[in-house]
Amino acid sequence: MTVRTRFAPSPTGNLHVGNARAALFCYLFAKGQDGQFILRMDDTDEARSTVAFAEAIKTDLAWLGLDYDETFKQSDRFDQYEAAFEKLKAQGLVYACYETPDELDRKRKRQLARGMPPVYDRAALQLTDDQIETYAEEGRTPHYRFKLSGGAIVWNDMVRGEQKIETASLSDPVIRRADGSWLYTLPSVVDDIDSKITHVIRGEDHVTNSGAQIEIIESLGGNAPVFAHFSLMLAADGGALSKRIGSLSLADLRDSGVEAMSLNSLIARLGTADAVEPVQHMATLIDGFDMSRLGRAPARFDAEDVTRLNARILHDMEYGDAAPRLADMGAPEGAGFWDGIKGNLTLFADVTDILHLIKGPVSPVIEAEDQDYVVAALDALPQGELTEASWSEWTQALKQSTGRKGRGLFMPLRQALTGQAHGPEMQHLLPLIGYDKAVARLQGKEG
Ligand code: GLU
């Protein structure tokens, strides 16, 4: 049996980090078992779903590095949902209801006032033909509910352990609206059966749905998949993430310049007892992923943690992994440049600023009290090709000849050569700046 998981977003908005977690878990779990990961677009809400959001979801997944083996959209499968609906209807498991939303709301309020749970009372099952005719004359069209068995549904959840849902305590789920459109429940089940999904991995907000969905799957002759319902993710201060969708959308994170692996490293471990580690490659995350490590407490997400991990990922990144992007940025070839500067990066894009220090134009900064020192430094600059050894030779010689040391020895040189008080180690920068530019800058010339 090939493990098959699916990530099933609705293309009605941008993905946020909570969605990324669902996608990542589905991906890591499937790939950890040589399985397949499927992207399903839950676009039955035709008014709110857009092609642009669907494209944006694909862009976000590509950025995260979550390659899917197959993709399809629910709006291409209305015939299959219709057929499943008829199959359930033929078994007497679907019934027509005529209540308006207002009537349902009043019913719920009356139940609550009487201290009863607001469970749908199945009044529609008692309607006489006359009443149905009257509704039809009033122009009411029915919505449809799935008739739950009233028994207990039990499954062994990979995250939550044994789960038991008493369907008698639930309202029969509405599966089709009065305008004929589909709610999420039935299409999802039909797709999970047809696309041979073996594991449904999703947030714990779907636990109750799973009870009804298992009954529907079985009524349709399918086998229930294994379920894993992971805890929800909260903002670091305990607030709901979805309220801040704007600031935590994947698009925003991507635009902020962080590495996708920083986000992946964090969200793969949040909500587990395992420490968050900066992980360079997806293969390592796949190897280290274990669903049983997920706890039931909410996972707390702090965007600052992504930034911190990002720096650690860059500091550990091998030249080979960085090389294609460095080449695009016009950085000098070879591991020397990367190894010399990576420790100074917070974001990969900082490379641009460092390249600017090397290539110029840089406006040298030479303080009045350092003028003579910089003139002496120019005289002492090793002639010809500068190497990684040049900086220490040069500054050792200057230390001897001028008696300067520490900051007073190094800082004027850094400021003259880069125009900045901070930056990567000069030992690495000096050979990259090169002899001619170094001379010009020590003479105070922009270059
Ligand atoms: N479209 C559903 C959602 O985004 C999918 C849930 C599921 O994974 O079954 O909530």
Side-chain angles (χ1 to χ4, degrees), residues 357 362-367 370 373-375 377 394 410-421 426 433 437-447:
L357 299 183
V362 155
S363 305
V365 172
I366 303 172
E367 310 285 352
D370 295 324
Y373 172 55
V374 173
V375 169
W394 186 32
F410 301 119
M411 187 55 76
L413 304 180
R414 175 183 287 283
Q415 287 187 325
L417 288 168
T418 69
Q420 308 282 327
M426 289 305 300
I433 291 169
K437 276 199 168 61
V439 167
R441 293 179 192 176
L442 291 167
Q443 289 168 339
K445 292 186 200 141
E446 190 177 277

Side-chain angles (χ1 to χ4, degrees), residues 30-61:
K31 295 297 153 185
Q33 339 250 331
D34 289 328
Q36 288 160 348
F37 169 66
I38 291 143
L39 171 64
R40 181 182 93 199
M41 292 290 179
D42 282 5
D43 62 349
T44 54
D45 182 345
E46 291 183 290
R48 291 173 55 227
S49 300
T50 70
V51 172
F53 281 132
E55 286 310 311
I57 287 171
K58 291 181 176 175
T59 305
D60 287 340
L61 291 181

Side-chain angles (χ1 to χ4, degrees), residues 10 17 28 60 90 96 104 136 141 175-176 210 250 298 314 333 337 339 349 395:
S10 298
V17 288
L28 295 177
D60 287 340
L104 287 173
T141 46
I175 57 175
R176 194 169 199 176
S210 296
L250 294 185
L314 294 172
E333 262 181 51
F337 169 74
D339 290 338
T395 51

Side-chain angles (χ1 to χ4, degrees), residues 260-428:
M261 280 309 291
S262 306
L263 180 64
N264 289 333
S265 299
L266 179 64
I267 60 181
R269 285 288 174 84
L270 277 190
T272 73
D274 301 324
V276 174
E277 304 282 354
V279 173
Q280 299 285 334
H281 300 115
M282 195 61 95
T284 315
L285 271 192
I286 293 171
D287 284 346
F289 183 69
D290 179 355
M291 192 95 72
S292 68
R293 304 293 292 166
L294 290 172
R296 291 188 54 174
R300 289 177 190 266
F301 177 86
D302 186 347
E304 295 280 314
D305 290 338
V306 183
T307 314
R308 276 191 283 271
L309 272 173
N310 200 69
R312 293 175 64 195
I313 283 196
L314 294 172
H315 300 173
D316 291 346
M317 191 180 281
E318 300 285 340
Y319 172 65
D321 290 329
R325 288 152 81 189
L326 292 175
D328 286 347
M329 293 166 108
E333 262 181 51
F337 169 74
W338 177 245
D339 290 338
I341 61 123
K342 66 184 180 183
N344 285 74
L345 304 177
T346 308
L347 295 174
F348 201 95
D350 298 343
V351 170
T352 309
D353 298 334
I354 294 172
L355 284 175
H356 174 76
L357 299 183
I358 294 167
K359 294 183 175 175
V362 155
S363 305
V365 172
I366 303 172
E367 310 285 352
E369 70 262 30
D370 295 324
Q371 300 268 355
D372 294 345
Y373 172 55
V374 173
V375 169
L378 176 57
D379 277 349
L381 184 68
Q383 300 276 317
E385 196 180 342
L386 298 170
T387 67
E388 292 267 323
S390 304
W391 174 255
S392 117
E393 276 170 33
W394 186 32
T395 51
Q396 282 303 321
L398 284 170
K399 189 175 176 180
Q400 303 244 314
S401 61
T402 66
R404 285 187 177 231
K405 53 183 179 336
R407 196 183 153 81
L409 178 70
F410 301 119
M411 187 55 76
L413 304 180
R414 175 183 287 283
Q415 287 187 325
L417 288 168
T418 69
Q420 308 282 327
H422 303 281
E425 285 177 40
M426 289 305 300
Q427 166 200 342
H428 303 305

Side-chain angles (χ1 to χ4, degrees), residues 6-10 19 40 42 184 188 192 200-202 205-206 213:
R6 87 297 194 276
F7 172 54
S10 298
N19 303 121
R40 181 182 93 199
D42 282 5
Y184 149 80
S188 179
D192 285 343
V200 168
I201 302 165
R202 59 188 178 187
D205 48 332
H206 286 290
Q213 289 189 329

Side-chain angles (χ1 to χ4, degrees), residues 114-125:
R114 279 192 243 131
M116 290 160 62
V119 174
Y120 179 62
D121 60 6
R122 293 188 166 170
L125 286 173

